[in-house]
Amino acid sequence: MIDKKWETCVKCGLCRSVCPVFREEKKEQYVARGHITLVEEFLKGNIDFSSKKAKEYLGKCLLCTACVEACPNKAETDLAMIFARIKNTQEYGIPFYKRILSLVMKNRKTMDLSAKTVNLLHNILFVQHLETPRESISPRIGSKLIERKRLLLPVVGETFLERYPSHIEGKNGRIAVFPGCGVNYAYREIGDAFIRICKKLNIEVLIPKEQACCGGPLYFSGLIDTPVKLAKKNIDLFNALDVDFVVVIDPTCASTMKFEYERLFSYIEDGEYLEKAKRFSGLVISSEKYLHDHTPLKELLRKTEIKERTVTYHDPCHLGRAQKVKQEPRALLSAISGVKFVEMKDADTCCGNAGSFSVDFRETSLKIGLKKAESIMETDADTVATGCCGCIMQVAEALHIKGRDDIKVKHTLEIIDEALK
Ligand code: SF4
Ligand code: SF4
C-alpha cells in the first residue's frame, strides 16, 4: 500500500523554476507537476506505461528532490515518481543492463567478482587519463550504453572492505562504517582518508564484512524484491551491533538506508521490518555530520595547515537536501588554515549524474553537468569539494570537457585528511 503523499499538489507549477531537467527540456512532462499528472492518469486507468514515450517520462527525473523542497504544499513528488517506476517495472520489466546489474548487486560475492574481473581487464578495456580533474578511466571502445571517451570511475583491485580489518581499536566512541559501493570498488582513497581521520581521532571502528549494497540504485529504478532482501540484510546486521552510529560515506546509500527503507517496508506492508528500519534509521549518519557533530575534528583542524588553496563546494542532493547536511562540510573545510572558502552559484543544484540517468539520458545529463562546471569556474577556485562518488565523476568530466583539468575535484574527507597529515 502506498501513502499517496503527492496528492497535496495543486498544480501551481512552482516546481518548474527549480527543476534542472525542466530547465533543459522546457517540457511539462519532465517536471514534478507533469509526473504527478502522469501517475494520477495511470491510477484512473487512462494510460499505461507501455509506450517508449511513457518510459522516457518515467526515467527523465534525477530524483534530486529540488521540487519536493520547493513545493509549498509539501507534495512528495519523488514518491510519485518512484511509485510509477515500481508499477512500470512490475508490469513491463526493466532494461537488460539493469537486469544484469540487479543480478550482480544481489550479493557481495558476485559484486566482488565482477569488480575484480573489470580490474584485471583494465588495460584492455580502458584508457587511463591521469591529467583530468580526477583520476578517471574511459572506454577504449564505445557502446550504445557508454560512449567512447566518457570519463568513468576507476575500479580498484583491492576493495575497501578487503583492505581493512573488521575491528580497529579506539577509545573515543564506537562506530560501524558503511562505505558504499562507489567507495568500496572505485574511489577507495576516500575510504582510506576516512579511516586515517578516525585513527587520528582515536575512534573505535567496526567494519562488518557481510554488509550488502544498500539497494538504492535498484529501488530508484523501480525494483522491489532485491532491494527488500538487501535492506533486511543490512538492518539485521547493523541493528545487532552495539555502536553509537552507522557512519555512511556515500550520501546516496545513507539517504536510502535512513529514509527509503521505511518507505519500502511501508509499501510492502511489512510492519515488523518497518519498526526495525526506524531503529536503523536513527543509527545512520553521514560521515561529514558525524565528524562535525560528534568529534573534536573542527577544533583539531583549526590547528592544521595546508598549502594555500581556494575551495568551493558542490552539495550532493542526497547529502544536502535529503539529509540536510549542508553547513557541516563547509564548516570543516573552512576551519583548515590555508583554505580560502568561496561559495559557488546554485551550489545545491544537482550535477546531473543521478546514476543510470547519466547513461540513459546522456545529453541532458551533460548539459546539466556543464552548467555546474560553469558555476565552479566563475568562483576562480582551484579545488571543488563534494561528498558523493557520482558527483565527483560528473563534475570531473564536465570540467574536463570545459578544458579545466587544472581544477581538482576532491571529496571533503580527502581535503581534511590532507590537512591532518
Ligand atoms: S508539486 Fe508542489 S510546486 Fe509542483 S505543481 Fe504541485 S503543488 Fe506546485
Ligand atoms: S526530482 Fe529533480 S529532476 Fe525530478 S522533477 Fe523534481 S526537480 Fe525535477
Side-chain angles (χ1 to χ4, degrees):
M1 252 296 280
I2 189 107
D3 190 2
K4 299 177 198 137
K5 290 184 181 162
W6 58 82
E7 286 184 329
T8 49
C9 171
V10 294
K11 311 288 187 302
C12 68
L14 205 77
C15 44
R16 291 159 44 124
S17 62
V18 296
C19 177
V21 175
F22 184 78
R23 273 183 207 150
E24 301 305 328
E25 304 285 342
K26 305 271 185 298
K27 284 188 187 140
E28 190 65 29
Q29 55 268 40
Y30 300 127
V31 74
R33 182 167 69 170
H35 298 156
I36 291 172
T37 306
L38 196 73
V39 170
E40 284 168 348
E41 292 305 309
F42 166 77
L43 287 172
K44 283 184 210 156
N46 293 339
I47 55 161
D48 63 35
F49 294 138
S50 58
S51 74
K52 207 174 157 209
K53 269 280 161 221
K55 282 189 197 308
E56 193 188 318
Y57 302 154
L58 292 181
K60 228 173 199 179
C61 168
L62 298 152
L63 289 177
C64 70
T65 66
C67 49
V68 182
E69 191 177 59
C71 177
N73 294 316
K74 300 195 181 341
E76 292 191 16
T77 58
D78 60 326
L79 189 63
M81 182 46 90
I82 293 169
F83 171 72
R85 288 182 185 176
I86 290 171
K87 288 289 164 203
N88 176 47
T89 300
Q90 285 171 342
E91 198 79 14
Y92 306 105
I94 47 169
F96 182 68
Y97 87 89
K98 286 192 182 169
R99 236 178 299 151
I100 300 287
L101 266 183
S102 163
L103 285 175
V104 170
M105 284 166 149
K106 246 183 193 159
N107 71 63
R108 178 68 58 204
K109 282 197 180 111
T110 48
M111 286 186 92
D112 284 354
L113 188 67
S114 308
K116 296 231 178 299
T117 310
V118 172
N119 178 265
L120 273 176
L121 297 174
H122 252 194
N123 291 338
I124 300 168
L125 295 174
F126 303 108
V127 179
Q128 200 90 17
H129 288 264
L130 294 172
E131 294 307 318
T132 57
R134 179 88 194 187
E135 188 190 344
S136 316
I137 53 175
S138 79
R140 276 186 197 280
I141 302 165
S143 68
K144 218 175 145 191
L145 273 184
I146 301 172
E147 72 188 54
R148 210 180 141 256
K149 286 193 180 165
R150 181 152 185 211
L151 297 193
L152 303 168
L153 295 78
V155 179
V156 292
E158 183 191 34
T159 68
F160 175 89
L161 291 174
E162 288 166 345
R163 170 168 270 204
Y164 294 99
S166 51
H167 184 203
I168 299 170
E169 294 284 352
K171 290 190 169 38
N172 301 326
R174 181 177 153 94
I175 60 167
V177 175
F178 187 100
C181 296
V183 172
N184 191 40
Y185 294 110
Y187 294 137
R188 192 197 56 210
E189 59 272 26
I190 298 166
D192 294 338
F194 181 70
I195 294 296
R196 277 193 294 269
I197 296 167
C198 288
K199 284 184 178 168
K200 197 97 185 173
L201 295 166
N202 200 9
I203 296 164
E204 186 179 357
V205 179
L206 306 187
I207 307 174
K209 306 293 171 167
E210 310 79 24
Q211 57 187 276
C213 162
C214 70
L218 304 176
Y219 164 75
F220 292 125
S221 292
L223 283 155
I224 285 281
D225 292 353
T226 305
V228 164
K229 275 186 202 137
L230 297 171
K232 284 186 174 176
K233 184 154 196 210
N234 283 327
I235 288 171
D236 288 340
L237 176 69
F238 287 103
N239 274 358
L241 298 176
D242 177 23
V243 290
D244 306 329
F245 295 103
V246 177
V247 179
V248 184
I249 301 177
D250 189 286
T252 301
C253 311
S255 169
T256 301
M257 299 195 292
K258 204 165 178 56
F259 308 115
E260 304 302 332
Y261 280 5
E262 285 183 45
R263 278 179 167 180
L264 194 56
F265 290 112
S266 296
Y267 181 75
I268 63 164
E269 298 183 50
D270 185 333
E272 184 197 342
Y273 268 91
L274 178 58
E275 284 314 306
K276 290 182 180 179
K278 283 181 184 162
R279 168 165 148 61
F280 182 48
S281 169
L283 287 174
V284 170
I285 189 169
S286 74
S287 47
E288 291 88 338
K289 185 161 180 66
Y290 170 71
L291 291 170
H292 181 274
D293 290 4
H294 301 281
T295 76
L297 178 62
K298 209 164 103 186
E299 287 67 44
L300 194 61
L301 284 174
R302 288 212 177 92
K303 296 175 200 149
T304 62
E305 204 169 335
I306 54 174
K307 207 173 132 215
E308 214 158 280
R309 62 167 61 160
T310 307
V311 179
T312 189
Y313 182 77
H314 158 68
D315 290 282
C317 300
H318 285 129
L319 187 62
R321 234 180 326 273
Q323 297 179 71
K324 313 268 176 273
V325 178
K326 291 190 175 185
Q327 170 267 336
E328 294 83 348
R330 288 173 169 81
L332 291 172
L333 289 167
S334 305
I336 304 168
S337 311
V339 165
K340 182 183 166 216
F341 188 83
V342 284
E343 278 293 345
M344 71 169 92
K345 190 177 80 188
D346 298 330
D348 66 353
T349 297
C350 181
C351 67
N353 179 275
S356 61
F357 183 96
S358 67
V359 177
D360 296 339
F361 305 105
R362 167 81 170 143
E363 207 180 307
T364 311
S365 166
L366 206 51
K367 279 189 202 160
I368 299 169
L370 291 174
K371 283 216 171 103
K372 179 60 69 177
E374 282 159 18
S375 296
I376 295 165
M377 285 150 58
E378 280 166 18
T379 64
D380 282 334
D382 50 61
T383 307
V384 53
T386 187
C388 160
C389 297
C391 300
I392 290 176
M393 186 170 84
Q394 175 87 344
V395 170
E397 180 168 41
L399 286 169
H400 179 64
I401 291 169
K402 288 275 183 189
R404 292 302 305 268
D405 286 343
D406 56 310
I407 303 177
K408 297 301 167 202
V409 185
K410 298 267 178 194
H411 194 288
T412 306
L413 296 174
E414 292 178 295
I415 300 177
I416 293 170
D417 175 48
E418 197 184 315
L420 293 178
K421 278 178 192 163

